[in-house]
Amino acid sequence: MTQLSTNQDFIDLENKVAAHNYSPLPVVVEHAEGIWVTDVEGRRYLDALSGYSALNFGHRHPALVQAAKDQLDRSTLTSRAFHNDQLGPFCAALSELVGKDMILPMNTGAEAVETALKIARKWGYLVKGVEADRAEIIVMDGNFHGRTTTIISFSDDPEARDHYGPYTQGFVSVPYGDLAAVEAAIHDNTVAVLVEPIQGEQGVKIPKEGFLPGLRELCTDRNVLMVADEIQAGLGRVGTTLACQYEGVEADVYTLGKALGGGIVPVSAVAADADVMGVITPGTHGSTFGGNPLAAAVGKAVCDLLASGEHQENARALEGQFRQALEALVGQGVEEVRVRGLWAGVDIDPGLLSGKEACKALAVKGVLAKDTHGSTIRLAPPLTITAEELKIVTDALAEVVAEARQG
Ligand SMILES: *Cc1c(COP(=O)(O)O)cnc(C)c1O
């Protein structure tokens, strides 16, 4: 094979031999550190996507890389057929961080959601007393919870769902943020409501104030589990450890992922109290890699970073600057912005630019971001970003829309 040296060489090879399930921007990353990535031709970009929040602490955070390196020299995989000396400390740290008795470790986000759905159903049958095979779970329109067959069964995104049937039964979808609709959908067989505290893939859609507290109350009243998918919204992104906490809400079950692996290895988990997690008994659920010592060591180091509170604090401190800079663009080529912590959805005027075109133009200016659903772009810089660096992001976007307006 001839030597690959340019961005285009790598793009051509990838297009030939890697399945086309993504349509990436034409940037080939070779090296990454902190908030910066460098492509194979030496161009540097500020990463304002952070791997969809998987890189909340930036690329190769020294404490996380150290934890991984140390563990690589000890043990990496034991299987759960044996105990390992990393799993207990990791689960203890995560339990403490999110305020739940017990942790079930998995690998990817979708697996954590699948696990939570199984736990909710089983809790429904064994604890709530729902009739066999009749459990129902309420989900939200516009949801994104991953890519498995069960999860896409209750997606309303045709791209994610079409041609993958037959679909898994037992889910009803209601409009996001509509408390009355949730209430109307609850009946005797309802075991859980699955909700993203903020819908990330949908373009950082923030529910109306009072929705999450209202949902909490409703779930308690009707003996239904509130399952919060914090995989993208949680672990510091909005300025609190969990996005539910921003609204003063505690869910019954949390799914966690993405940033839990520190951008190094896939680590996901379900967190719940013992009365719920207790339905899981030996042999009834598992994963070859879930809870492996390398993942646990990295996950524990992530929990330690979050326990200090400094990253949540930085997200809170920069929220005002972020919002102000983005709101200044509304009416100037931007239709609407939604900001919470260091997370923003920006709706570009579709007559001006598509989201993809805006992201391409941002990349030319050295900022990486990702479009979603047409003309929305999502900004989620690492929580380690400074005020000056954040200004690079918002200035670049201001230039992109100004230049598009000039034609
Ligand atoms: C990314 C994501 C998932 C799925 O995580 P994977 O690791 O890609 O399987 C689930 N829920 C939410 C809210 C997500 O953002």
Side-chain angles (χ1 to χ4, degrees), residues 192-236:
V193 178
L194 173 64
V195 65
E196 295 160 87
I198 292 175
Q199 288 187 332
E201 293 300 310
Q202 198 52 243
V204 193
K205 290 277 163 67
I206 302 173
K208 277 193 295 279
E209 212 190 315
F211 173 65
L212 290 174
L215 186 62
R216 170 67 281 175
E217 208 173 312
L218 185 60
C219 287
T220 304
D221 287 351
R222 305 292 296 274
N223 194 25
V224 164
L225 295 176
M226 178 177 178
V227 181
D229 182 348
E230 293 264 2
I231 289 166
Q232 192 167 160
L235 304 183

Side-chain angles (χ1 to χ4, degrees), residues 52 107-111 113 144-147 196 201 229-233 255 258:
Y52 309 93
N107 311 285
T108 65
E111 285 175 309
V113 172
F144 181 85
H145 297 286
R147 300 293 195 165
E196 295 160 87
E201 293 300 310
D229 182 348
E230 293 264 2
I231 289 166
Q232 192 167 160
T255 56
K258 293 203 163 99

Side-chain angles (χ1 to χ4, degrees), residues 305-320:
L305 281 184
L306 285 165
S308 81
E310 66 176 297
H311 295 97
Q312 297 91 318
E313 198 174 309
N314 194 48
R316 276 201 303 280
L318 294 178
E319 179 176 323

Side-chain angles (χ1 to χ4, degrees), residues 350-390:
L352 201 61
L353 283 172
S354 71
K356 181 99 189 197
E357 286 166 337
C359 288
K360 277 188 178 155
L362 273 173
V364 170
K365 295 187 182 298
V367 171
L368 299 182
K370 178 72 174 80
D371 56 296
T372 182
H373 295 278
S375 284
T376 299
I377 63 175
R378 189 172 11 170
L379 299 172
L383 307 180
T384 51
I385 200 168
T386 65
E388 297 73 44
E389 292 162 340
L390 185 60

Side-chain angles (χ1 to χ4, degrees), residues 116 119-121 123-124 128 137-138 190-194 216 219-220 222-228 251-253 275-276:
I119 291 171
R121 283 179 168 183
W123 173 88
K128 185 171 175 171
I137 294 175
I138 298 171
T190 307
V191 296
V193 178
L194 173 64
R216 170 67 281 175
C219 287
T220 304
R222 305 292 296 274
N223 194 25
V224 164
L225 295 176
M226 178 177 178
V227 181
D252 299 301
V253 179
D275 56 335
V276 174

